[in-house]
């Protein structure tokens, strides 16, 4: 009989919580032949990533995953063999009681946020014993040996590389989105939170030596963009031109198409957790807008990743790249660091692919979870 997995996801805000858990659920079903129930408390966010989903259904099957609306009143449910509590989302009391009563204990895993900080390897896989006798294991995704790795479908890199070898596929994908970029223009995607640094970046691109076409999926950065363009709206399909910069809004596309968008661009600005990882798998230069945490805890996380990422770049390229990321996350002026990054473009581009292939040598997160379970039983 297949092992059963329950994944619990509470959508705190935005799309990262459901983005990660939906991706993990699909991969477990597709590659590890397990039965997965995904419990989500906000189906609207789910529908954004998987548009054929029904935002009103209490239960539905999507790509082999049994997706449930996380009920307000929990009735006794059969506890799965493996229980994933994503991002400490707090399991329902009734479910915990059922876990306690289970004759064969379930493996209870708290799937943590991604961080490149040093302490992660020391905490990955550690148990925490609770007064009620239940044991919860802490599972940390990460970039280095000794962590749980990153979410990556087994064929992802091969699919991306096949897409890159097929210019017609790229053109067709972009044209379906209404994108007709100039030959030779830098194509950039922009997915970010509100950012006061945006105007200076746009100015720099508008004044640049070569054309840039900026693609902006619907989202939180739109207000800053409209303000700089000095327009009330940017309807889908229209292109606003300012100097060397053309700007186009895109619809929020399904999760699989967002990958293709990243693969189609020369540079991707991403945010949060899942798009950040996907941009790394795209093997292209990226700019990360990290999710802000209380007491500025996110700066430590940002700098830890940067230190790791730029290690193999030349000193001037590493400096330009680091300054760009720091400026973006501080909402500061981007002009100087953007122009510096442009000077090191070929090196940074080659490094992005190397980083991707190096990271792809690690076991992926789904694989690591399955192995963790096997070792546990
Ligand atoms: O949306 P995010 O900012 O998500 C989060 C949440 O805020 C969460 O609470 C926080 O804890 C976490 O960040 C760190 O960014 P993220 O993680 O990149 O999630 C976005 C998802 O949306 C990702 O799965 C990619 C997907 N996406 C699409 O499917 N289509 C699109 O057009 C775009 C722009 C994104």
């Amino acid at each position: 009989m297949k092992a059963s997995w329950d994944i619990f996801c509470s959508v705190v805000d935005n799309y990262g919580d459901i983005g990660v858990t939906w991706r993990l659920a699909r991969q477990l079903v597709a590659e590890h032949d397990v039965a997965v129930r995904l419990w989500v408390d906000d189906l609207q966010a789910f529908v954004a990533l998987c548009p054929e989903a029904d935002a009103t259904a209490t239960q539905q099957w999507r790509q082999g995953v049994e997706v449930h609306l996380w009920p307000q009143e929990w009735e006794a449910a059969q506890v799965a063999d493996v229980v994933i509590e994503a991002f400490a989302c707090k399991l329902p009391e009734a479910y915990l009681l059922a876990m306690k009563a289970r004759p064969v204990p379930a493996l209870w895993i708290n799937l943590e946020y991604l961080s490149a900080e040093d302490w992660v390897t020391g905490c990955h896989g550690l148990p925490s014993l609770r007064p009620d006798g239940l044991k919860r294991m802490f599972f940390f995704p990460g970039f280095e040996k000794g962590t749980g790795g990153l979410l990556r479908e087994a064929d992802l890199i091969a699919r991306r590389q096949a897409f890159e070898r097929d210019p017609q596929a790229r053109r067709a994908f972009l044209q379906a989105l209404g994108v007709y970029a100039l030959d030779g223009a830098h194509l950039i995607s922009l997915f970010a939170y509100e950012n006061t640094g945006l105007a200076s970046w746009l100015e720099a691109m508008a004044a640049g030596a070569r054309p840039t076409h900026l693609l902006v999926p619907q989202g939180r950065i739109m207000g800053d963009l409209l303000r700089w363009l000095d327009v009330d709206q940017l309807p889908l399909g229209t292109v606003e031109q300012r100097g060397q910069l053309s700007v186009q809004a895109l619809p929020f596309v399904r999760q699989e198409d967002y990958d293709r968008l990243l693969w189609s661009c020369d540079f991707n600005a991403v945010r949060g957790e899942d798009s950040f990882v996907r941009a790394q798998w795209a093997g292209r230069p990226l700019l990360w807008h990290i999710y802000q945490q209380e007491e500025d805890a996110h700066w430590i996380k940002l700098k830890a990743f940067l230190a790791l990422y730029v290690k193999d770049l030349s000193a001037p390229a590493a400096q330009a790249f680091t300054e760009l990321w720091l400026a973006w996350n501080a909402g500061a002026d981007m002009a100087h660091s953007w122009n510096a990054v442009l000077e090191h473009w070929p090196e940074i581009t080659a490094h992005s692919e190397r980083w991707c292939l190096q990271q792809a040598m690690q076991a992926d997160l789904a694989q690591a979870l399955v192995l963790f379970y096997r070792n546990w039983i």
Side-chain angles (χ1 to χ4, degrees):
M1 219 170 69
K2 287 183 181 187
S4 57
W5 292 53
D6 270 339
I7 302 178
F8 286 85
C9 169
S10 167
V11 177
V12 178
D13 56 6
N14 307 313
Y15 303 104
D17 309 292
I18 182 62
V20 167
T21 50
W22 167 232
R23 193 181 293 292
L24 171 64
R26 272 184 301 169
Q27 195 188 345
L28 285 168
V29 167
E31 295 177 18
H32 298 282
D33 195 31
V34 299
V36 180
R37 292 187 298 193
L38 174 60
W39 301 90
V40 192
D41 64 358
D42 175 357
L43 289 171
Q44 292 296 344
F46 176 52
V47 169
L49 309 184
C50 174
E52 65 275 20
D54 179 350
T56 61
T58 51
Q59 186 265 11
Q60 58 193 304
W61 284 91
R62 296 292 160 202
Q63 301 186 35
V65 177
E66 193 179 343
V67 181
H68 285 260
L69 178 63
W70 185 328
Q72 303 246 315
E73 291 300 322
W74 196 273
E75 282 168 31
Q78 208 167 3
V79 172
D81 299 315
V82 186
V83 180
I84 307 249
E85 181 186 26
F87 313 125
C89 65
K90 223 168 179 299
L91 298 183
E93 273 308 316
Y95 195 90
L96 288 175
L97 287 175
M99 265 169 96
K100 260 188 82 176
R102 199 177 196 265
V104 181
L107 170 60
W108 177 9
I109 292 176
N110 183 29
L111 178 61
E112 287 288 344
Y113 287 109
L114 173 62
S115 175
E117 287 162 274
D118 282 346
W119 57 264
V120 164
T121 43
C123 297
H124 172 61
L126 290 186
S128 120
L129 288 172
R130 296 165 34 108
D132 61 6
L134 287 170
K135 186 161 77 170
R136 181 165 49 161
M137 312 299 291
F138 286 86
F139 204 92
F140 284 84
F143 303 93
E144 294 195 283
K145 229 173 148 186
T147 69
L150 301 170
L151 273 178
R152 171 177 43 83
E153 297 78 13
D155 62 351
L156 178 68
I157 307 300
R159 278 193 293 118
R160 193 256 290 169
Q161 289 171 338
F163 185 82
E164 285 170 342
R165 283 193 301 271
D166 184 356
Q168 177 51 30
R170 176 178 182 266
R171 208 171 311 121
F173 171 72
L174 289 172
Q175 285 178 2
L177 287 174
V179 177
Y180 298 86
L182 283 177
D183 276 349
H186 269 157
L187 199 59
I188 297 186
S189 77
L190 170 60
F191 181 45
Y193 309 113
E194 298 78 4
N195 195 319
T196 48
L198 180 69
S200 61
W201 188 21
L202 298 174
E203 294 289 350
M205 289 191 273
R210 72 187 273 181
T212 300
H213 193 75
L214 185 71
L215 299 173
V216 192
Q218 296 297 335
R220 290 175 51 178
I221 193 75
M222 211 39 99
D224 293 317
L225 181 68
L226 296 182
R227 246 185 312 284
W228 183 78
L229 288 169
D230 196 20
V231 295
D232 293 333
Q233 48 177 324
L234 186 58
L236 297 179
T238 55
V239 175
E240 290 282 344
Q241 186 80 38
R242 302 288 184 276
Q244 289 278 53
L245 174 67
S246 45
V247 181
Q248 182 173 358
L250 292 187
F252 194 95
V253 293
R254 62 177 304 118
Q255 214 179 30
E256 295 87 340
D257 280 344
Y258 183 61
D259 272 338
R260 291 186 191 95
L261 177 65
L262 297 171
W263 304 345
S264 299
C265 290
D266 303 296
F267 184 93
N268 295 298
V270 287
R271 71 184 204 192
E273 177 156 333
D274 191 54
S275 59
F276 170 51
V277 173
R278 301 314 278 186
Q280 292 171 59
W281 297 137
R284 308 290 164 97
L286 71 157
L287 173 61
W288 183 27
H289 201 182
I290 194 169
Y291 183 78
Q292 274 198 344
Q293 286 175 279
E294 276 167 28
E295 293 170 18
D296 282 349
H298 56 285
W299 279 102
I300 299 170
K301 228 165 135 172
L302 180 77
K303 288 176 182 166
F305 178 77
L306 268 172
L308 205 62
Y309 190 81
V310 304
K311 224 167 41 191
D312 294 331
L313 282 172
S314 68
Q319 188 181 345
F321 191 84
T322 303
E323 283 178 6
L324 183 76
W325 280 40
L326 296 181
W328 187 232
N329 283 283
D333 195 287
M334 299 277 285
H336 174 76
S337 51
W338 176 245
N339 288 323
V341 160
L342 289 177
E343 280 174 31
H344 301 283
W345 195 266
E347 183 187 342
I348 292 173
T349 302
H351 175 71
S352 317
E353 178 69 3
R354 254 197 328 271
W355 170 267
C356 164
L357 299 181
Q358 183 192 320
Q359 285 296 321
M361 286 164 71
Q362 282 200 92
D364 69 73
L365 186 88
Q367 219 174 6
L369 280 166
V370 168
L371 193 65
F372 193 73
Y373 172 57
R374 286 209 192 113
N375 290 338
W376 185 80
I377 49 174

